Amino acid sequence: MNQDFDAYLHNHRAEHLDELTTLLRFPSISTLSEHAVDVVRCAEHLAELARTIGFENIQLLQTARHPVLYADWLHAEGKPTVLVYGHYDVQPVDPLHLWETPPFEPTIRDGKIYARGASDDKGQVFMHLKSFEALMKTTGSLPVNVKLCIEGEEEIGSPNLPSVLNDHKDLFAADVLVISDTTILGPNRPSVCYGLRGLAALQVDLYGAKGDLHSGLYGGSIQNPLHAMVELLASLHDKSGVIQVKGFYDDVEAISQEEQDAFAKLAPDDAKLADSLGLPELFGEAGYTTLERQWVRPTLELNGVYGGFQGEGTKTVIPNSAHAKITCRLVPNQDPVDIQRKIQQHLKDNAPLGIRVEVTLQDTGKPYVTPFDHPTIQLASKAYAKAYGTAAAFTRMGGSIPIVEAFAGVLDIPVVLMGFGLDTENFHAPNEHFTLDNFDKGLRALCYYWLGLEEALQSGQAAKSE
Amino acid sequence: MNQDFDAYLHNHRAEHLDELTTLLRFPSISTLSEHAVDVVRCAEHLAELARTIGFENIQLLQTARHPVLYADWLHAEGKPTVLVYGHYDVQPVDPLHLWETPPFEPTIRDGKIYARGASDDKGQVFMHLKSFEALMKTTGSLPVNVKLCIEGEEEIGSPNLPSVLNDHKDLFAADVLVISDTTILGPNRPSVCYGLRGLAALQVDLYGAKGDLHSGLYGGSIQNPLHAMVELLASLHDKSGVIQVKGFYDDVEAISQEEQDAFAKLAPDDAKLADSLGLPELFGEAGYTTLERQWVRPTLELNGVYGGFQGEGTKTVIPNSAHAKITCRLVPNQDPVDIQRKIQQHLKDNAPLGIRVEVTLQDTGKPYVTPFDHPTIQLASKAYAKAYGTAAAFTRMGGSIPIVEAFAGVLDIPVVLMGFGLDTENFHAPNEHFTLDNFDKGLRALCYYWLGLEEALQSGQAAKSE
């Protein structure tokens, strides 16, 4: 096996970090329409990076909102084809004042690169490109055929990717899908993720009087939309954290004893975790461990609640509206649309008097689990082990990559989640960063993966035909 | 009795409305520090208006924040002295997009002048000045001695006025205090207000992790400050609107049968009121009528609740904090500081697990009631009747003028609340306005009041000595 890539990566590290810095400067926030131009510019920049490596057939597939970058290199005749998925869009950056350095001015300190998207997911997308570059520069070709699918709507629930995939099934056809948008267990504790939670999002808007009213003149005689909102939202959980929406847990798959035991071995120290997060204690659904709550139990979280006066001092007002944003994390076999409807029904059934309730159903993503003994998953474990010098664990993850389930549905190929993030890297929060040790080792793990894929798939087929 | 003032007011109406427009242009928002300069400029402008009318000894009494305007005219030897209180500061103007015309660009349409402060309270302060001007111009003097006390901190709870009053007891000494910062019952339904609710304000801040966290990775395993907030705030009321804070109602004075009967005669049609406000129905503490809920029952209102993402779309975040602003309206004999402490205790006692609770005690104002058979109150009823051509009712009011109680405490003089607003005039809300019919009739009612005051006080003393 050719390992010249190692020296190549070593010799070009400074140059690669400069290029990563350039990529992280694009404020490609997909949810905010004022950044639509930045999102496109970021896609165009990635396309140019792919072209210089040797990718061909480069296309920005247009959607109703942000484009999908497609590119391929298909000269490994008779070898497997790998499809690489990632996303170049990022989350909003508020509250801005909490960033130690500006979110779109990447800064390296203490072996970490700080910027929005550093870890989720531009840094990891960039590693894929550079792993291919390293093999191409050192061997003149790639050991497998490669297709890239890098989208710009992952942080808003990938609304258009399913139709892009459906419209271009042949273009995206491949033997395996590899995604790097997840975390490993900890520094030098690599892990292969074989399951993700799904997503169901809703917005709740309560409306009272035609306009804001004086709380002295009207206070006590009309329903305050904020009172109605806290009463309504409080009804969604009991005090021990159990979700009270009728039927919410109906389709939840029970956890096997085998999984429970495996999780117990990986279990974090709750007190240490709480301390590292700055919390007095952890809290969650009664009867489950922290890892179970994060990986295999569904959630209903308020992501935003707002209404009325938020300025300095006091304002004696009864606001005429109140708003809340909700997302659920779902587990097999919950159906996101079914869950949205059950929550909508709960909100209507529990609506307080004297206000009007509006519920808007938003993003959805199905949960996904893949067998951990699949050869593409086992190869990932070996690739990590070579690069990190330590065995990789098999984990599940609390987050959602809705598109994983969409890919699995449309393309019917195994999905390998080979992430390099750490859960301390502040994804979606101020001071997001990416650890350069994982950047370095991850680049090598990816190279080992591409180099081993043909053999792994052959042995998998051999095992099947035995 | 000299009634030339009527012709004078008639002939100078256009000029007076122009001057009012100028006064309303000052964005004198007392709670926002970026408007501190505008607040001072507004005070200086009012001082100049007073000077041109003939007021003397004009002073801007400095405080820790916004100045108090003092001015007097003391040449009615042997006659009573009236102290006029008002405020030139205004509430914030958000949400700005709901204003049909900008809040600080006064616009007259349909017999109303639209601007922040038009009714609460610059318009009514301006009427006092113009009533004195009318008498001065038509008779060469005033029928009573007059002192003005116009402050700039009413909308933030008048934190500095009590110490200003205490420091200048002699300067402010008077026989009666007249305030126009309340409403009448409706168009051409004048009323004298003899009671106000008090105020107690608090801010609640909940803090979770050190920073915002990803709702996928951590969702379900830590307390979400927004969940804790809605649970905590929902515990403040039961579903029928009764406040659940221990001891909250302990000191509430029972309503007399006489008052209940009087209120019943004034009772609004609940369905019509709901409809006029754009509400499906009214809502309030079980067992009380709408007027009782507004005038003689205490309240606990959320004026603002906020935390997490408020932008377009979704953000899968667990915010690290959540915030709420609370104000209570209090009735005799509740003590604002006692109520603040009881709420603080409730919030501590009911704090959910896994977060830190901070409670900040803010503004307070004691409730105030004055006997409605006092001669200064009865005179107000007669002055309204003359100007409006219809008898005035005696009412109480749901709002708070904390300073009323402070004045009564420091100066020990009767307080007359002679307002000219309408409760449909959007105080504290977008599209605040003042009805010009009440501007015109109110100016005359004030003139009648000043002209009748000496006789009323003499008859009151006669009655006392009988």
Side-chain angles (χ1 to χ4, degrees):
Chain A
M1 194 179 280
N2 187 311
Q3 293 190 20
D4 291 348
F5 64 80
D6 186 68
Y8 178 84
L9 291 170
H10 183 79
N11 294 335
H12 292 78
R13 187 173 188 263
E15 186 187 325
H16 289 168
L17 288 177
D18 277 353
E19 286 179 40
L20 175 57
T21 295
T22 303
L23 177 62
L24 293 173
R25 283 188 190 280
F26 291 90
S28 51
I29 303 170
S30 49
T31 200
L32 300 178
S33 44
E34 66 263 35
H35 284 290
V37 170
D38 301 313
V39 175
V40 171
R41 284 195 188 129
C42 188
E44 288 167 348
H45 179 78
L46 269 179
E48 182 55 24
L49 276 185
R51 194 191 59 74
T52 59
I53 291 166
F55 280 91
E56 301 162 336
N57 192 20
I58 294 170
Q59 305 174 40
L60 288 187
L61 302 171
Q62 297 307 314
T63 74
R65 202 149 171 199
H66 305 307
V68 176
L69 169 62
Y70 174 86
D72 61 36
W73 186 93
L74 303 176
H75 303 292
E77 217 172 316
K79 309 263 174 125
T81 300
V82 60
L83 176 63
V84 168
Y85 166 85
H87 63 93
Y88 61 87
D89 66 321
V90 299
Q91 282 275 322
V93 296
D94 62 290
L96 197 57
H97 68 281
L98 294 182
W99 286 79
E100 286 176 27
T101 49
F104 297 111
E105 295 178 23
T107 310
I108 293 177
R109 51 180 188 271
D110 300 333
K112 298 160 191 167
I113 183 161
Y114 285 80
R116 169 59 84 231
S119 180
D120 177 15
D121 181 40
K122 286 177 180 173
Q124 302 198 49
V125 163
F126 182 76
M127 287 164 67
H128 278 272
L129 291 176
K130 292 296 130 177
S131 72
F132 295 125
E133 177 186 303
L135 294 174
M136 194 78 96
K137 292 282 186 185
T138 52
T139 68
S141 70
L142 299 180
V144 285
N145 298 295
V146 177
K147 296 178 174 182
L148 302 179
C149 173
I150 316 296
E151 73 151 324
E153 298 183 336
E154 197 272 345
E155 299 295 2
I156 54 171
S158 303
N160 294 301
L161 193 57
S163 69
V164 169
L165 291 179
N166 263 310
D167 293 350
H168 302 85
K169 273 188 193 172
D170 292 343
L171 191 67
F172 289 108
D175 298 297
V176 58
L177 171 64
V178 177
I179 301 176
S180 298
D181 194 22
T182 50
T183 57
I184 56 173
L185 277 176
N188 229 38
R189 294 182 66 199
S191 50
V192 187
C193 179
Y194 66 96
L196 292 168
R197 292 197 286 194
L199 183 81
L202 303 94
Q203 166 117 6
V204 189
D205 301 291
L206 303 191
Y207 295 101
K210 285 185 292 195
D212 288 355
L213 293 173
H214 189 295
S215 74
L217 300 185
Y218 292 98
S221 69
I222 65 167
Q223 178 68 272
N224 181 328
L226 290 171
H227 296 194
M229 185 60 96
V230 301
E231 181 186 326
L232 188 54
L233 295 179
S235 74
L236 292 166
H237 295 86
D238 73 8
K239 289 193 178 189
S240 64
V242 178
I243 297 160
Q244 299 298 297
V245 174
K246 199 177 163 187
F248 187 86
Y249 294 105
D250 280 359
D251 300 324
V252 172
E253 203 175 60
I255 318 165
S256 70
Q257 191 59 47
E258 198 182 347
E259 269 184 308
Q260 273 189 23
D261 293 347
F263 292 169
K265 280 182 202 152
L266 297 172
D269 179 318
D270 279 0
K272 268 191 197 162
L273 177 57
D275 192 56
S276 75
L277 295 170
L279 289 166
E281 67 238 306
L282 300 184
F283 175 81
E285 187 188 1
Y288 294 91
T289 67
T290 295
L291 275 194
E292 288 167 358
R293 290 165 178 170
Q294 291 178 346
W295 291 355
V296 296
R297 295 298 300 171
T299 70
L300 189 163
E301 294 285 338
L302 303 175
N303 306 117
V305 176
Y306 51 104
F309 186 60
Q310 305 188 19
E312 208 179 322
T314 60
K315 183 180 179 191
T316 46
V317 67
I318 300 177
N320 79 323
S321 63
H323 313 275
K325 288 172 183 288
I326 297 173
T327 53
C328 297
R329 297 293 170 165
L330 306 180
V331 299
N333 297 312
Q334 289 181 298
D335 175 62
V337 174
D338 173 63
I339 291 296
Q340 282 181 325
R341 291 198 180 129
K342 282 173 174 164
I343 296 169
Q344 184 177 38
Q345 192 60 48
H346 178 98
L347 295 169
K348 299 271 179 191
D349 291 347
N350 289 274
L353 282 174
I355 42 112
R356 190 162 53 80
V357 179
E358 281 186 16
V359 180
T360 307
L361 308 186
Q362 299 176 312
D363 310 340
T364 58
K366 290 190 184 171
Y368 179 77
V369 167
T370 194
F372 78 95
D373 56 359
H374 192 279
T376 58
I377 299 282
Q378 291 295 320
L379 173 63
S381 163
K382 286 170 197 153
Y384 274 118
K386 277 187 195 163
Y388 282 77
T390 181
F394 293 92
T395 66
R396 285 169 68 165
M397 197 183 100
S400 307
I401 310 183
I403 207 58
V404 168
E405 195 278 338
F407 270 112
V410 175
L411 298 178
D412 192 24
I413 53 176
V415 179
V416 181
L417 300 171
M418 208 171 161
F420 302 101
L422 292 175
D423 63 8
T424 52
E425 291 179 331
N426 297 339
F427 328 129
H428 296 207
N431 303 311
E432 177 178 349
H433 58 275
F434 188 45
T435 304
L436 296 184
D437 186 56
N438 289 320
F439 176 77
D440 293 326
K441 289 177 178 158
L443 272 166
R444 282 139 180 103
L446 288 172
C447 290
Y448 286 121
Y449 195 84
W450 311 137
L451 290 167
L453 190 57
E454 185 189 9
E455 190 187 326
L457 285 176
Q458 279 171 347
S459 71
Q461 283 178 328
K464 261 191 195 168
S465 56
E466 268 168 17
Chain B
M1 193 180 281
N2 185 311
Q3 294 190 16
D4 291 349
F5 64 81
D6 185 69
Y8 178 84
L9 291 170
H10 183 80
N11 293 334
H12 292 77
R13 187 173 187 263
E15 187 186 324
H16 289 168
L17 289 177
D18 276 353
E19 287 178 37
L20 175 57
T21 294
T22 303
L23 178 60
L24 293 173
R25 284 188 190 278
F26 291 89
S28 50
I29 303 170
S30 49
T31 199
L32 301 178
S33 44
E34 67 261 35
H35 283 289
V37 169
D38 301 311
V39 175
V40 172
R41 283 194 188 131
C42 188
E44 288 167 348
H45 178 79
L46 268 179
E48 182 56 23
L49 275 185
R51 195 192 57 76
T52 59
I53 290 166
F55 280 91
E56 301 163 337
N57 193 19
I58 294 170
Q59 305 174 40
L60 288 187
L61 302 170
Q62 297 307 315
T63 74
R65 200 148 172 200
H66 306 305
V68 176
L69 168 62
Y70 175 86
D72 61 35
W73 186 93
L74 303 175
H75 303 292
E77 218 173 312
K79 309 265 174 121
T81 299
V82 59
L83 176 63
V84 168
Y85 165 85
H87 64 91
Y88 62 86
D89 65 322
V90 298
Q91 283 275 323
V93 295
D94 62 288
L96 197 57
H97 69 280
L98 295 183
W99 286 79
E100 288 177 25
T101 49
F104 297 111
E105 295 178 21
T107 310
I108 294 178
R109 51 182 188 270
D110 300 332
K112 298 159 191 164
I113 184 162
Y114 285 81
R116 170 60 84 230
S119 179
D120 178 15
D121 182 41
K122 286 177 180 174
Q124 303 197 49
V125 164
F126 183 76
M127 287 163 66
H128 278 271
L129 291 175
K130 292 297 130 176
S131 72
F132 295 125
E133 178 186 301
L135 295 174
M136 194 78 97
K137 292 285 186 183
T138 53
T139 68
S141 70
L142 298 180
V144 286
N145 298 295
V146 177
K147 295 177 173 181
L148 302 180
C149 173
I150 316 295
E151 73 151 323
E153 298 183 336
E154 197 272 344
E155 299 294 4
I156 53 171
S158 302
N160 293 302
L161 194 56
S163 69
V164 169
L165 291 179
N166 263 310
D167 292 351
H168 302 85
K169 274 188 193 172
D170 291 343
L171 191 67
F172 289 108
D175 299 296
V176 59
L177 171 63
V178 176
I179 300 176
S180 299
D181 194 20
T182 50
T183 56
I184 56 174
L185 278 176
N188 230 39
R189 294 181 65 197
S191 51
V192 187
C193 179
Y194 66 96
L196 291 168
R197 292 197 285 194
L199 183 82
L202 303 93
Q203 166 117 6
V204 189
D205 301 292
L206 303 191
Y207 295 100
K210 285 186 291 195
D212 289 355
L213 293 173
H214 189 294
S215 74
L217 300 186
Y218 293 97
S221 69
I222 64 166
Q223 178 68 272
N224 180 328
L226 290 172
H227 296 193
M229 184 60 95
V230 300
E231 181 187 325
L232 187 54
L233 296 179
S235 75
L236 292 166
H237 296 86
D238 71 9
K239 290 193 178 189
S240 65
V242 178
I243 296 160
Q244 300 298 299
V245 174
K246 198 176 165 189
F248 187 87
Y249 294 105
D250 280 359
D251 300 324
V252 172
E253 204 175 60
I255 318 164
S256 70
Q257 191 59 48
E258 198 182 344
E259 268 185 308
Q260 273 190 22
D261 294 346
F263 292 169
K265 280 181 202 151
L266 296 173
D269 179 317
D270 280 0
K272 267 191 197 162
L273 178 56
D275 192 57
S276 75
L277 295 171
L279 289 166
E281 67 238 307
L282 300 183
F283 175 81
E285 187 188 0
Y288 294 92
T289 67
T290 296
L291 275 193
E292 288 166 359
R293 289 166 178 170
Q294 291 179 345
W295 291 355
V296 296
R297 296 297 300 170
T299 70
L300 188 162
E301 294 285 339
L302 303 175
N303 306 118
V305 176
Y306 50 104
F309 186 60
Q310 305 188 17
E312 208 179 321
T314 60
K315 183 181 179 191
T316 46
V317 67
I318 301 177
N320 79 324
S321 63
H323 313 275
K325 290 172 181 286
I326 297 173
T327 53
C328 297
R329 298 295 172 163
L330 306 179
V331 299
N333 297 312
Q334 289 180 298
D335 175 62
V337 173
D338 173 62
I339 291 296
Q340 282 181 324
R341 291 196 180 132
K342 283 173 173 164
I343 295 170
Q344 184 176 37
Q345 193 59 47
H346 177 97
L347 294 169
K348 298 271 180 193
D349 291 347
N350 289 273
L353 283 175
I355 43 113
R356 191 162 52 80
V357 179
E358 282 187 15
V359 179
T360 308
L361 308 186
Q362 299 176 310
D363 310 339
T364 58
K366 290 191 184 170
Y368 179 78
V369 168
T370 195
F372 77 95
D373 57 359
H374 192 279
T376 59
I377 299 283
Q378 291 295 320
L379 173 63
S381 162
K382 286 172 197 153
Y384 275 118
K386 275 187 195 163
Y388 281 78
T390 180
F394 293 92
T395 67
R396 284 168 70 164
M397 196 184 101
S400 307
I401 310 183
I403 207 58
V404 167
E405 195 278 338
F407 269 113
V410 175
L411 297 178
D412 193 23
I413 53 175
V415 180
V416 180
L417 300 171
M418 206 170 161
F420 303 101
L422 292 175
D423 62 9
T424 52
E425 290 178 334
N426 296 340
F427 327 129
H428 296 206
N431 302 312
E432 177 178 350
H433 58 274
F434 189 44
T435 305
L436 296 183
D437 185 55
N438 290 320
F439 177 78
D440 293 325
K441 289 176 178 161
L443 273 166
R444 282 139 181 104
L446 288 172
C447 290
Y448 286 122
Y449 195 84
W450 312 136
L451 290 166
L453 190 57
E454 184 188 10
E455 192 187 324
L457 285 175
Q458 279 172 346
S459 70
Q461 285 178 326
K464 262 193 195 169
S465 56
E466 267 167 16

